[in-house]
Amino acid sequence: MKNFFEKLIGVFFPKVCPCCGEILRKEEELCETCKREVVVIKAPFCNQCGKRLESGEKIICKDCKKTNHQFEQGASIFVYEGKLRKSLHQFKYENARVYADYYGEEALRACGERLLEWKPECIVPVPMYRKKEQRRGYNQAEVFGRSLAKRTGIPLCRDLLIRKKNTKPQKGLTDERRYNNLKNAFGVNREQAKQFRTILLVDDIYTTGSTMNACAGLLKKAGVEKVFFLCIASGKD
């Protein structure tokens, strides 16, 4: 009976490729075209932020060289380009929350060893301004965090951080403007934060680290010892 209903669901709600929307066979996660085009980040990558490096001669990307990060280390699953860029746009703005299942599975494959090494005690999504989240209907970082929590057993703490002001998009801002844009943008539940020594921040896209630094710095002031992060995608060095 269960197989019957699964088949029925597959007819009316077929599984689609999370990068292009093409209908997939049950066992597939990506269509053949997207398998060739989507780039999972593998070594060499930056030892601090996990961004893909073009050469194995470097161990730190140019952004990390010039920045004193508040977080210990971080990682991203994919390079933010091509079909994956389109996938994340749909995930973030077009209610394609089902894509989080694919991102969560790939996170374990690509970054599972680092998660075991980091030993986070809870997963904290980068928060969205409340009114903005109400208009969109969801926070994509939280949706991704729930997918990770489901697969790892690490609890999700959605209210540990809050966003106190509606900041401008970070894209296109200078380093100084990024810092000022996020200044006093977040708040922390100090009593809840005291329960954890190691926290994993999650978000959709990593660029220069300004958002992660703002969140990690606040968590450490509240008593957290170590902060790591995991994002769905990041750019190249």
Side-chain angles (χ1 to χ4, degrees):
M1 184 64 72
K2 184 178 179 181
N3 288 338
F4 170 77
F5 284 114
E6 286 179 350
K7 290 178 181 178
L8 197 62
I9 289 169
V11 171
F12 290 102
F13 303 99
K15 186 177 178 182
V16 298
C17 175
C19 291
C20 71
E22 180 179 314
I23 294 176
L24 299 173
R25 293 192 297 270
K26 184 177 179 180
E27 67 276 7
E28 291 181 322
E29 292 187 337
L30 289 179
C31 71
E32 290 302 319
T33 301
C34 291
K35 281 180 184 177
R36 293 191 295 268
E37 295 185 12
V38 171
V39 179
V40 175
I41 295 176
K42 298 177 181 178
F45 50 76
C46 175
N47 276 3
Q48 182 148 33
C49 76
K51 189 179 294 184
R52 184 183 179 188
L53 299 174
E54 291 300 316
S55 170
E57 296 176 1
K58 298 168 65 176
I59 60 171
I60 298 292
C61 72
K62 62 182 180 181
D63 284 327
C64 289
K65 277 184 179 179
K66 65 182 182 181
T67 307
N68 183 22
H69 289 305
Q70 297 296 309
F71 56 81
E72 271 60 43
Q73 279 185 307
S76 297
I77 310 163
F78 306 103
V79 176
Y80 185 54
E81 63 183 12
K83 294 285 187 71
L84 198 281
R85 185 189 292 263
K86 178 183 177 182
S87 175
L88 275 178
H89 186 276
Q90 292 174 332
F91 176 61
K92 189 171 182 176
Y93 298 112
E94 299 177 20
N95 202 26
R97 285 179 267 185
V98 68
Y99 290 1
D101 288 334
Y102 168 63
Y103 303 148
E105 290 294 331
E106 285 300 322
L108 293 188
R109 290 191 188 100
C111 309
E113 289 185 7
R114 277 171 281 183
L115 289 176
L116 288 172
E117 180 183 331
W118 296 341
K119 297 182 176 65
E121 297 167 345
C122 77
I123 296 170
V124 177
V126 171
M128 184 181 288
Y129 188 60
R130 187 170 296 277
K131 289 184 179 179
K132 187 175 181 181
E133 184 175 346
Q134 288 172 345
R135 287 196 300 270
R136 185 174 298 175
Y138 61 100
N139 173 5
Q140 70 278 357
E142 181 181 336
V143 176
F144 173 51
R146 287 193 184 282
S147 178
L148 272 181
K150 176 183 175 181
R151 286 162 173 78
T152 62
I154 303 168
L156 182 82
C157 300
R158 68 179 303 272
D159 297 319
L160 201 153
L161 286 176
I162 61 168
R163 191 178 290 251
K164 299 192 294 183
K165 66 178 186 179
N166 190 16
T167 55
K168 298 177 182 178
Q170 292 284 85
K171 185 178 179 180
L173 298 180
T174 63
D175 289 347
E176 183 178 359
R177 288 185 176 180
R178 284 174 185 267
Y179 172 81
N180 290 329
N181 187 42
L182 294 173
K183 192 175 182 180
N184 300 319
F186 298 102
V188 61
N189 182 329
R190 288 183 170 271
E191 288 304 312
Q192 191 177 6
K194 288 177 183 177
Q195 301 174 32
F196 304 105
R197 292 172 296 175
T198 306
I199 280 176
L200 180 73
L201 287 167
V202 294
D203 205 359
D204 55 347
I205 303 168
Y206 179 90
T207 49
T208 64
S210 300
T211 300
M212 292 302 174
N213 279 328
C215 292
L218 200 58
L219 288 168
K220 287 188 170 181
K221 285 180 181 178
V224 177
E225 294 178 15
K226 295 181 180 181
V227 180
F228 301 91
F229 78 80
L230 178 58
C231 288
I232 299 170
S234 65
K236 300 176 185 177
D237 182 29

